[in-house]
């Protein structure tokens, strides 16, 4: 984090929009490749080639030593899954998390895909995670406290029996990948003090687990995070710009699930 939250000037908002809209186009571009029989490395190659061919930079590649151009997290993997030779199979749920640097500005989002026909339990987890993101977005307004995001997600998800991951959170974004404020997806006393003002840009990215909220990091690679009980996990993420009129979702895709979508 870089210290105090950054409030971007109105003339900078278009830079945020351009980076985020490219990222959304990238998500739509990779969408057809998330299917049974495809390896996560192949999806990573699609992300890398599309980004570089447009003159932009995949933000995760080399970030704190991370070796790939996106994160792909399957089933019980909560986040930061490293693409490899793993083959997607019918019934998997898989989160693809992509971040692009466009002219020095960052766009960031993730989406959980259903691979073929999935179990009803998996489908419901994905639905509730998706709904919790938009519930939080629809809750906030200029001068909202960050804690309102956590209250909305936590209250909704735990009421349906899901665990809300606490170790990882949303974040400010713009000229840097991660800045203040942190955006926890459960209520904290610290987030009560953080106020969302017009010009602030940040991500909301709830991670919900079918069982416990607790997670374990894989010590063998230092990145992959799994649920402690090996039950399923899902995540959705958007980059949000707070304007005088309320939150603007910068990373909406044209072909992906829209607010109110039913999986």
């Amino acid at each position: 984090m870089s210290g105090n939250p950054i409030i971007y000037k109105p003339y900078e908002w278009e830079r945020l929009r351009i980076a985020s809209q490219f990222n959304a186009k990238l998500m739509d571009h990779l969408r057809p490749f998330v299917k049974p029989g495809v390896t996560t490395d192949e999806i990573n190659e699609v992300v890398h080639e599309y980004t570089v061919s447009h003159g932009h930079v995949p933000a995760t590649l080399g970030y704190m030593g991370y070796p790939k151009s996106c994160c792909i997290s399957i089933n019980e993997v909560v986040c930061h899954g490293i693409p490899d030779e793993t083959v997607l199979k019918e019934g998997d749920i898989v989160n693809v998390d992509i971040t692009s640097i466009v002219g020095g500005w960052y766009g960031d989002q993730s989406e959980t895909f259903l691979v073929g026909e999935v179990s009803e339990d998996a489908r419901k987890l994905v639905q509730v995670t998706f709904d919790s993101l938009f519930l939080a977005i629809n809750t906030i307004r200029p001068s909202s406290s960050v804690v309102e995001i956590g209250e909305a997600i936590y209250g909704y998800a735990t009421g349906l029996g899901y665990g809300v991951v606490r170790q990882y959170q949303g974040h400010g974004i713009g000229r840097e990948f991660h800045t203040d404020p942190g955006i926890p997806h459960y209520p904290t006393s610290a987030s009560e003090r953080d106020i969302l003002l017009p010009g602030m840009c940040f991500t909301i990215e709830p991670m919900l687990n079918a069982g416990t909220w607790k997670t374990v990091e894989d010590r063998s690679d230092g990145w992959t995070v799994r649920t402690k009980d090996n039950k399923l996990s899902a995540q959705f993420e958007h980059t949000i710009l707070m304007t005088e009129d309320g939150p603007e979702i910068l990373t909406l895709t044209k072909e992906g699930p829209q607010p109110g979508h039913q999986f």
Side-chain angles (χ1 to χ4, degrees):
M1 301 295 184
S2 66
N4 293 327
I6 299 167
I7 297 178
Y8 292 103
K9 306 292 186 186
Y11 71 86
E12 296 174 303
W13 293 8
E14 192 59 26
R15 298 295 184 182
L16 293 164
R17 292 185 179 113
I18 290 170
S20 295
Q21 287 164 9
F22 171 80
N23 209 64
K25 289 177 182 176
L26 170 58
M27 185 67 83
D28 277 340
H29 178 73
L30 66 83
R31 191 175 303 283
F33 297 91
V34 185
K35 61 184 180 180
V38 175
T39 70
T40 55
D41 237 348
E42 288 171 331
I43 297 170
N44 179 75
E45 281 300 310
V46 170
V47 170
H48 185 85
E49 290 303 320
Y50 186 87
T51 305
V52 172
S53 69
H54 284 78
H56 306 314
V57 178
T60 61
L61 183 61
Y63 178 77
M64 297 180 66
Y66 187 80
K68 299 287 182 171
S69 295
C70 63
C71 298
I72 302 181
S73 303
I74 304 171
N75 295 333
E76 79 283 358
V77 178
V78 176
C79 59
H80 304 159
I82 302 174
D84 58 16
E85 293 305 311
T86 301
V87 177
L88 298 182
K89 64 182 187 300
E90 186 90 9
D92 285 341
I93 61 172
V94 54
N95 178 270
V96 182
D97 192 339
I98 53 174
T99 309
S100 305
I101 309 173
V102 178
W105 295 81
Y106 288 74
D108 187 9
Q109 73 199 97
S110 83
E111 187 174 319
T112 296
F113 294 82
L114 310 182
V115 182
E117 292 295 322
V118 306
S119 70
E120 179 59 22
D121 286 345
R123 187 203 62 79
K124 185 179 178 185
L125 170 65
V126 172
Q127 184 72 60
V128 172
T129 308
F130 180 80
D131 291 345
S132 75
L133 169 59
F134 284 95
L135 178 64
I137 293 170
N138 292 334
T139 295
I140 57 175
R141 60 203 179 281
S143 298
S144 283
S145 168
V146 170
V147 76
E148 295 174 43
I149 295 171
E151 288 172 341
I153 293 169
Y154 186 83
Y156 178 65
T158 58
L160 293 170
Y162 295 103
V164 180
V165 172
R166 301 183 187 182
Q167 295 93 333
Y168 304 93
Q169 62 181 7
H171 50 88
I173 192 168
R175 288 185 182 274
E176 298 176 50
F177 200 163
H178 299 97
T179 69
D180 286 328
I183 310 288
H185 304 112
Y186 69 104
T188 70
S189 57
S191 61
E192 291 180 2
R193 298 188 292 271
D194 291 327
I195 304 301
L196 299 171
L197 300 175
M200 291 176 64
C201 191
F202 52 93
T203 69
I204 304 176
E205 47 187 290
M207 289 152 267
L208 303 189
N209 298 344
T212 179
W213 58 269
K214 296 179 180 179
T215 64
V216 178
E217 184 179 286
D218 189 332
R219 293 183 180 179
S220 68
D221 65 28
W223 285 102
T224 306
V225 177
R226 294 180 173 85
T227 56
K228 190 171 184 180
D229 55 11
N230 285 315
K231 292 186 178 181
L232 294 176
S233 184
Q235 179 186 19
F236 285 89
E237 172 186 15
H238 274 307
T239 295
I240 310 296
L241 173 66
M242 183 58 76
T243 75
E244 292 90 344
D245 298 321
E248 178 183 337
I249 305 172
L250 301 185
T251 43
L252 277 179
T253 62
K254 290 185 177 179
E255 299 173 20
Q258 303 299 307
H261 178 80
Q262 296 296 305
F263 288 89

